[in-house]
Amino acid sequence: MARIDAETLVDVPLMAWGIHEAPGNLSYVYFCASGSYKNRPPGEVAGLYRLEISTHSIELLV
């Protein structure tokens, strides 16, 4: 069996959950990020994010 190594694609804010492809546009995926309010790093916000796969850029939507 061949071994496959994985790499981190992008360092997302907090914990990413519910990752979904963008309908009709495979260049993007959407995910929710959340975490403990008590332990949240400064500047990181819970919300709905869009990841552009080719540039690894993240945009907060909501």
Side-chain angles (χ1 to χ4, degrees):
M1 181 176 259
R3 179 179 168 185
I4 299 173
D5 292 325
E7 293 181 22
T8 301
L9 177 65
V10 66
D11 183 18
V12 299
L14 309 173
M15 291 294 297
W17 300 97
I19 300 169
H20 293 276
E21 295 175 337
N25 189 343
L26 299 179
S27 298
Y28 296 98
V29 294
Y30 294 92
F31 63 91
C32 292
S34 63
S36 169
Y37 287 99
K38 179 180 172 187
N39 298 325
R40 180 174 296 154
E44 295 195 350
V45 179
L48 175 64
Y49 288 82
R50 178 172 60 188
L51 165 65
E52 185 173 356
I53 296 171
S54 63
T55 63
H56 300 186
S57 64
I58 300 172
E59 177 184 5
L60 175 63
L61 301 175
V62 179

